[in-house]
Amino acid sequence: MIELPHLASGAAALANSPNETRIRAIRSDRWVGFDRARRVLRHLDGLCDHPPSTRPPGLAIYGHSGMGKTMLVEKFKRNHPPIIDHSTGVESMPVLAITLTSRPTERRIYGQLLMAMGASINERLTLMELEIRTVLLLKSNNVRVLVFDEVHNLLAGTPREQRVILQLLRYLSNEIKASLVCLGVSEARDAIAGDTQLARRLDQFVLPRWKADEEFQELVTAILRSLPLKLPSALSSQSLRHLSRLGDGITARVFGILNELAIEAIQDGTERITDENIESWKPALEKEAAFA
């Protein structure tokens, strides 16, 4: 096997695969590790390892849409999968995550939590019965971290509705003695601030837009190492600045641009991404308009 030191091990294993296989891999979701993401994961791992407490610590992660909050949660869940005790047959779920709906209610949240645990839902149950069943299952599943994504959706409700849901999140955390993790765009901070007790126990981690600095260079290098191209891609500082502007500092957009250029490099046989590729890149719709 030819060594490809410019690639991560997973990408190197795919580099000599058929073009269709490599393109499919590029288009598929994949985890790319970089320092900012590793810092968040270390903090999340610490919450998972924290012993049960009447006032468990928590974390709020804020960032623009597309900054990778949900991908972080998915990676965190994969790092802490459900565990089955084969001697008792009991399953433990260290991490349980749901996404708040556009206008969350207590019944919806209990229903989502039950579904996430694989439990059936009886719509005729009263709110109190739903609460008791959910809390009992959360305890029996030994949930250590409760994750609520899209917390900014709370703002769609009235101030009273917002307070009710925030109190519910705090109640669940207290009742099962588990840490709470909330994710959302910057407006989520305003939603969480509606419950002072909850806000005080949540450490804050902000995912700012990328700037053309060393941290951004590390991100781009990590993405390039994940792309199964046969030749190394070396980008100049000017290209990195241009890429940062093209992607508007949003993680998902930077991924999208580099993925698109990698697919083009496979299709035209150049097998690498160059400064010229970055300079000439245009969004697909803009290209179609120019062709027309």
Side-chain angles (χ1 to χ4, degrees), residues 16-91:
N16 292 311
S17 300
N19 289 356
E20 294 78 10
T21 302
R22 291 192 289 158
I23 290 172
R24 184 176 182 83
I26 290 170
R27 287 175 174 160
S28 301
D29 288 339
R30 63 190 185 279
W31 171 255
V32 174
F34 49 94
D35 186 61
R36 184 188 291 182
R38 285 190 286 268
R39 291 201 307 272
V40 178
L41 285 174
R42 283 196 296 270
H43 196 122
L44 291 171
D45 289 340
L47 295 180
C48 207
D49 294 335
H50 196 278
S53 167
T54 54
R55 191 178 175 81
L59 180 65
I61 304 175
Y62 305 118
H64 193 281
S65 178
M67 288 306 299
K69 300 181 297 297
T70 302
M71 290 293 286
L72 279 167
V73 169
E74 292 301 318
K75 174 63 174 173
F76 178 49
K77 286 168 58 181
R78 289 196 298 272
N79 288 351
H80 300 277
I83 304 168
I84 297 178
D85 186 335
H86 294 287
S87 63
T88 62
V90 176
E91 182 181 53

Side-chain angles (χ1 to χ4, degrees), residues 127-143:
L127 182 59
M128 180 176 291
E129 289 170 331
L130 274 175
E131 174 190 315
I132 293 171
R133 184 159 186 244
T134 303
V135 170
L136 286 175
L137 279 174
L138 287 170
K139 289 181 177 179
S140 65
N141 278 284
N142 196 29
V143 174

Side-chain angles (χ1 to χ4, degrees), residues 260-261 264 280-292:
E260 185 180 322
L261 291 175
E264 290 179 1
S280 62
W281 181 86
K282 294 288 189 299
L285 289 177
E286 190 174 325
K287 290 178 185 177
E288 290 178 6
F291 179 76

Side-chain angles (χ1 to χ4, degrees), residues 107-235:
R107 293 189 69 88
R108 281 185 175 181
I109 290 175
Y110 284 134
Q112 286 180 277
L113 290 171
L114 289 171
M115 287 179 62
M117 290 184 285
S120 59
I121 301 173
N122 185 343
E123 295 182 359
R124 289 176 291 184
L125 293 179
T126 66
L127 182 59
M128 180 176 291
E129 289 170 331
L130 274 175
E131 174 190 315
I132 293 171
R133 184 159 186 244
T134 303
V135 170
L136 286 175
L137 279 174
L138 287 170
K139 289 181 177 179
S140 65
N141 278 284
N142 196 29
V143 174
R144 302 303 319 126
V145 179
L146 275 172
V147 182
F148 294 93
D149 201 354
E150 306 285 345
V151 173
H152 48 268
N153 283 336
L154 284 173
L155 296 174
T158 65
R160 180 188 176 281
E161 290 171 335
Q162 293 176 40
R163 287 194 299 272
V164 167
I165 300 303
L166 290 170
Q167 289 167 4
L168 169 60
L169 302 189
R170 180 161 48 84
Y171 163 74
L172 289 173
S173 175
N174 291 341
E175 191 67 20
I176 68 172
K177 297 179 172 58
S179 294
L180 196 64
V181 174
C182 297
L183 303 95
V185 299
S186 58
E187 288 80 3
R189 185 185 285 105
D190 299 329
I192 292 173
D195 188 308
T196 305
Q197 294 183 54
L198 179 62
R200 283 176 179 169
R201 73 169 62 171
L202 297 179
D203 292 331
Q204 295 188 19
F205 194 99
V206 179
L207 298 172
R209 293 181 188 236
W210 297 97
K211 298 180 292 186
D213 53 15
E214 290 184 6
E215 193 178 27
F216 181 67
Q217 182 176 359
E218 186 208 358
L219 169 70
V220 173
T221 299
I223 297 173
L224 292 175
R225 285 180 54 78
S226 76
L227 298 169
L229 298 176
K230 297 175 183 178
L231 298 176
S233 302
L235 300 180

